[in-house]
Amino acid sequence: FKVPRGCCEQRLTPALDDCTWASRMKRRKKVQLVALFGIAVSSYALYVESKMDDPFYQPGCSSSWTGGNCATVFKSSYGHILSHWGLVEKGSPLDLSLASAGLLLYTAYFFAISVKFRFPLREQLFLSVASGGVCFSIYLLYVIKFILKEFCIVCFSFHCCNFTMMALAVLEFRSPEVGGPKPADKKQ
């Protein structure tokens, strides 16, 4: 049996002519799925943030099954990182919450990867943004674990999205799926 390029290394049985659905799925679709998951998590985080002023509201992400309290994380100064770092005034229009920033980021991922033609520095831009996301996730994981001493399932979901995007960005950088020659490969 000859295995098609990009598929599973081995077949378990001859009856399994194709690889798993995940290995056959185009990378672009995987990025879109991760981005949609990030958009959903960001939307939920925005909803929770909008309810934080209600003293009787208990977010579902702060229940006993998660083992943490995302309200503690959302209410901390780290929830608005730009004002926490002193880059913008607290309460200014640029003082985005992490949920708002996540919504923008994952929406940008979704639409950028949906472009089916090559544009200059496409793979480099994807890899750079994903690298920044992973660095930011590492920083926030440190903050949550060692400074706030808390666990947040919503934050954990964001970090999973960021690390998955990084893996997909590396794969895309090494072997782009978008058709057409690379700008450097064009003949003159």
Side-chain angles (χ1 to χ4, degrees):
F1 294 103
K2 189 170 184 177
V3 178
R5 184 173 179 258
C7 258
C8 306
E9 295 287 317
Q10 299 174 4
R11 295 184 191 178
L12 298 176
T13 66
L16 296 174
D17 287 343
D18 293 328
C19 301
T20 63
W21 66 271
S23 64
R24 286 191 320 260
M25 185 186 298
K26 294 267 188 207
R27 192 174 306 124
R28 184 169 36 92
K29 293 292 182 192
K30 291 176 185 177
V31 171
Q32 288 173 329
L33 284 174
V34 174
L36 285 174
F37 180 71
I39 289 168
V41 173
S42 298
S43 299
Y44 175 72
L46 277 173
Y47 173 76
V48 170
E49 285 178 356
S50 72
K51 297 287 193 176
M52 294 307 291
D53 292 333
D54 181 356
F56 300 106
Y57 177 71
Q58 179 67 26
C61 57
S62 293
S63 61
S64 60
W65 72 270
T66 64
N69 187 351
C70 60
T72 303
V73 177
F74 289 167
K75 286 182 180 179
S76 77
S77 64
Y78 293 97
H80 290 261
I81 201 72
L82 294 178
S83 63
H84 175 78
W85 286 342
L87 298 175
V88 298
E89 271 188 50
K90 186 170 179 63
S92 79
L94 295 176
D95 187 20
L96 298 176
S97 68
L98 292 177
S100 300
L103 192 59
L104 292 172
L105 175 67
Y106 297 118
T107 301
Y109 274 136
F110 184 84
F111 287 115
I113 202 69
S114 297
V115 175
K116 293 183 181 181
F117 59 87
R118 182 173 296 286
F119 55 88
L121 303 175
R122 177 186 174 276
E123 293 81 21
Q124 292 86 348
L125 183 62
F126 184 26
L127 186 60
S128 297
V129 172
S131 297
V134 163
C135 291
F136 193 60
S137 279
I138 291 169
Y139 168 74
L140 289 177
L141 283 166
Y142 170 80
V143 167
I144 291 169
K145 177 69 178 163
F146 296 107
I147 296 174
L148 299 177
K149 297 181 177 22
E150 195 58 74
F151 175 76
C152 174
I153 191 71
V154 173
C155 301
F156 177 76
S157 300
F158 283 132
H159 303 316
C160 288
C161 285
N162 288 342
F163 284 102
T164 303
M165 283 296 187
M166 181 64 184
L168 292 168
V170 168
L171 291 172
E172 187 66 17
F173 182 78
R174 293 177 68 195
S175 175
E177 281 188 346
V178 173
K182 290 183 182 180
D185 294 342
K186 289 183 181 177
K187 292 182 180 178
Q188 298 189 5

